[in-house]
């Protein structure tokens, strides 16, 4: 089994990724800003102080990792680009760098007109800065990540909530995966399944994928 470092492990997505990976036997390190506040992660998970916006933190944890998962949230637009910059800068200098799996936003997915959802006139203003930050990170991986293997994961742009782990999902790349009614829906639990599946059997190296039912 692999060594998986999860930044943002105390969050809604990160905690589920930690649980899924640990449940499958991976050695998981949960990197959080305040370890003392994270008490609900599975037994056996190593909890450490970590901040993906700190190049020093990345440099400390990267050498022992097979995969680094970025599942951080909140903050200003610069958060996600800084995270991507730190990872690319630090990892490209390692002799055997870990793979990066970056949990990004669904707003960067494309509409039927091949324009990002975040550019729609009715896109909520309160989500625009985080969405732009995630778009910045995706652009950086695509343009500047030579020597680093990365995967950017986008959940559905709207109907993405905590729920049931079914273990099933379908994948796509640039456009949301929709059902017969045109809906794109996924639980956080099944996003975690899709991510750990990708860790174990890579299919989307150096590209973005999305998942839904």
């Amino acid at each position: 089994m692999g060594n998986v470092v999860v930044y943002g492990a105390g969050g809604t997505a990160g905690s589920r990724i930690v649980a899924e990976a640990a449940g499958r036997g991976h050695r998981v390190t949960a990197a959080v800003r305040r370890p003392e506040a994270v008490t609900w992660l599975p037994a056996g998970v190593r909890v450490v102080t970590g901040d993906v916006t700190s190049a020093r933190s990345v440099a400390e944890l990267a050498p022992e990792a097979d995969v680094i998962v970025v599942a951080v949230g909140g903050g200003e637009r610069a958060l996600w680009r800084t995270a991507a910059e730190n990872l690319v800068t630090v990892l490209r200098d390692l002799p055997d760098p870990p793979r990066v799996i970056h949990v990004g936003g669904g707003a960067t997915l494309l509409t039927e007109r091949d324009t990002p959802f975040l550019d729609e006139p009715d896109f909520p203003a309160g989500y625009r800065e985080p969405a732009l930050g995630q778009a910045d990170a995706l652009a950086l991986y695509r343009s500047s990540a030579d020597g680093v293997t990365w995967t950017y994961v986008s959940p559905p742009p709207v109907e993405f909530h905590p729920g049931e782990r079914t273990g099933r999902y379908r994948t796509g790349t640039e456009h949301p995966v929709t059902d017969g009614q045109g809906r794109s829906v996924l639980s956080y639990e099944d996003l975690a399944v899709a991510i750990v599946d990708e860790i174990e059997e890579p299919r989307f190296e150096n590209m973005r994928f999305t998942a839904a039912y």
Side-chain angles (χ1 to χ4, degrees):
M1 294 289 100
N3 292 318
V4 181
V5 172
V6 181
Y7 280 101
T12 306
S15 61
R16 285 159 173 80
I17 296 165
V18 167
E20 183 69 26
R24 298 200 206 177
H26 294 280
R27 295 177 292 276
V28 181
T29 297
V32 296
R33 292 183 176 181
R34 296 177 57 232
E36 70 279 4
V38 180
T39 59
W40 58 87
L41 297 177
V45 171
R46 182 169 70 115
V47 182
V48 301
T49 302
D51 180 357
V52 73
T53 65
S54 163
R56 179 178 179 179
S57 175
V58 174
E60 288 174 349
L61 294 177
E64 66 190 57
D66 297 307
V67 177
I68 294 178
V69 179
V70 181
V72 296
E76 299 178 351
R77 175 176 178 173
L79 169 68
W80 292 276
R81 181 179 177 89
T82 300
E85 287 176 337
N86 283 339
L87 288 162
V88 169
T89 300
V90 172
L91 300 189
R92 64 163 46 123
D93 289 335
L94 296 180
D96 186 21
R99 182 182 177 196
V100 174
I101 296 187
H102 183 116
V103 183
T108 59
L109 290 167
L110 303 182
T111 69
E112 294 178 352
R113 298 182 300 282
D114 289 332
T115 57
F117 279 88
L118 65 88
D119 288 341
E120 292 293 284
D122 59 349
F123 188 81
Y127 293 102
R128 185 162 178 78
E129 286 297 299
L132 288 170
Q134 292 285 20
D136 293 340
L138 177 58
L140 185 141
Y141 287 122
R142 285 174 165 169
S143 66
S144 306
D146 294 344
V148 176
T149 301
W150 58 274
T151 298
Y152 186 101
V153 187
S154 287
V158 178
E159 297 190 72
F160 176 51
H161 309 285
E164 179 185 1
R165 182 195 186 281
T166 70
R168 61 179 178 83
Y169 59 89
R170 294 175 295 136
T171 58
T173 53
E174 296 304 302
H175 297 83
V177 175
T178 57
D179 61 17
Q181 287 72 49
R183 297 175 62 197
S184 183
V185 183
L186 191 70
S187 70
Y188 275 89
E189 288 75 7
D190 281 328
L191 181 74
V193 173
I195 287 171
V196 179
D197 284 350
E198 179 65 18
I199 289 173
E200 296 178 346
E201 296 185 13
R203 294 190 297 151
F204 299 99
E205 291 186 343
N206 298 330
M207 60 187 299
R208 181 247 290 279
F209 83 90
T210 184
Y213 299 124

